[in-house]
Amino acid sequence: MSGGLVDYTLEDGVAIVRLNDPATLNAMSDAMGAELREAVARAQGEARALLIGSHGRAFCSGANLSSGSFAMDDPDRDVGSGLEAVFNPLLLDLRNSAIPVLSAVRSAAAGVGCGLALAADLIVAGESAYFYQAFCHVGLSPDGGSSYLLARAIGRVRAMEMMLLGDKLTAAVALDWGLINRVVPDDQVDATALALAVRLARGPRSLGFIRAAAWAGADQPFAEALDSERVLQRHSGRTDDFAEGVAAFQHKRKPDFQGR
């Protein structure tokens, strides 16, 4: 998959998916979202980690308001129709991924692009990166999962500040607030994110269960989280990688996980 609005390559067990409309700073259209969803689905079958990045100087400038998906002269226009058809399913696909998901962010991660970046399990940002809830500036409300992701990552009060005031949150502040995992020089974003992705791709099958437990833990009462941990531990214990991990521990060697 290459040459369209999304590029897909496979390297060292990592599916590298890059938004590919640099002329618009990778503004997200329904077509780009649909291609991205196809790439995420493909990664589930042939990769052990998924890295979402971009071509050009920005990660994603937000929704492509010039894509013709709605008519401004229609009083009954539904600006959110693409959410129901494309983007909400995409975000659920990412949440339910069987493999770890990472994002590599340079410059703008705005609007729906902010939500896409923050939906990853690990987020690497360049020093010039910023996270921007621009919705209030155009008379819209947050989408891309931002209301959920922000409130759970940085708390309701800080999430409110980002969404109501619509100020750009720099990468340094995002790191300080616990919104992202790494800040590196801009020219090292892709390499740093790929190194983390390769590390995860060499890990055991249980990494998928670990991320499932963490996502569930964000929503569940404690008793339900304990039940989820019990079920996921059963799944983990039946993998070939668990048997390999035990054997490696017993023989005092490094495990050779195969993702099975």
Side-chain angles (χ1 to χ4, degrees), residues 62-193:
N64 189 334
L65 298 178
S66 301
S67 63
S69 59
F70 58 89
M72 287 301 299
D73 58 358
D74 180 2
D76 295 321
R77 60 184 175 270
D78 184 357
V79 181
S81 61
L83 300 177
E84 183 177 1
V86 179
F87 298 108
N88 291 353
L90 167 63
L91 290 160
L92 289 173
D93 289 345
L94 290 173
R95 173 173 176 144
N96 297 326
S97 174
I99 57 177
V101 180
L102 303 91
S103 60
V105 182
R106 289 190 305 274
S107 187
V112 68
C114 180
L116 176 62
L118 299 179
D121 304 317
L122 295 179
I123 304 150
V124 177
E127 291 173 337
S128 71
Y130 60 90
F131 300 84
Y132 188 27
Q133 291 289 292
F135 303 98
C136 65
H137 298 301
V138 293
L140 289 175
S141 56
D143 60 26
S146 294
S147 59
Y148 177 99
L149 296 165
L150 288 171
R152 280 158 177 75
I154 59 177
R156 180 185 60 83
V157 173
R158 282 174 167 166
M160 285 288 194
E161 179 177 345
M162 285 188 68
M163 293 186 289
L164 291 175
L165 298 181
D167 293 334
K168 297 175 181 178
L169 189 75
T170 65
V173 176
L175 181 66
D176 182 60
W177 283 8
L179 187 62
I180 62 176
N181 300 93
R182 301 279 194 281
V183 176
V184 299
D186 290 343
D187 61 358
Q188 297 178 23
V189 172
D190 290 338
T192 301

Side-chain angles (χ1 to χ4, degrees), residues 186-237:
D186 290 343
D187 61 358
Q188 297 178 23
V189 172
D190 290 338
T192 301
L194 181 58
L196 286 172
V198 170
R199 177 178 172 183
L200 292 175
R202 293 173 179 167
R205 172 68 184 88
S206 64
L207 293 185
F209 301 135
I210 290 171
R211 72 179 304 280
W215 274 102
D219 301 325
Q220 295 176 324
F222 185 51
E224 292 182 17
L226 293 175
D227 290 339
S228 293
E229 289 179 351
R230 187 268 176 274
V231 171
L232 292 169
Q233 195 68 295
R234 180 175 64 226
H235 295 330
S236 297

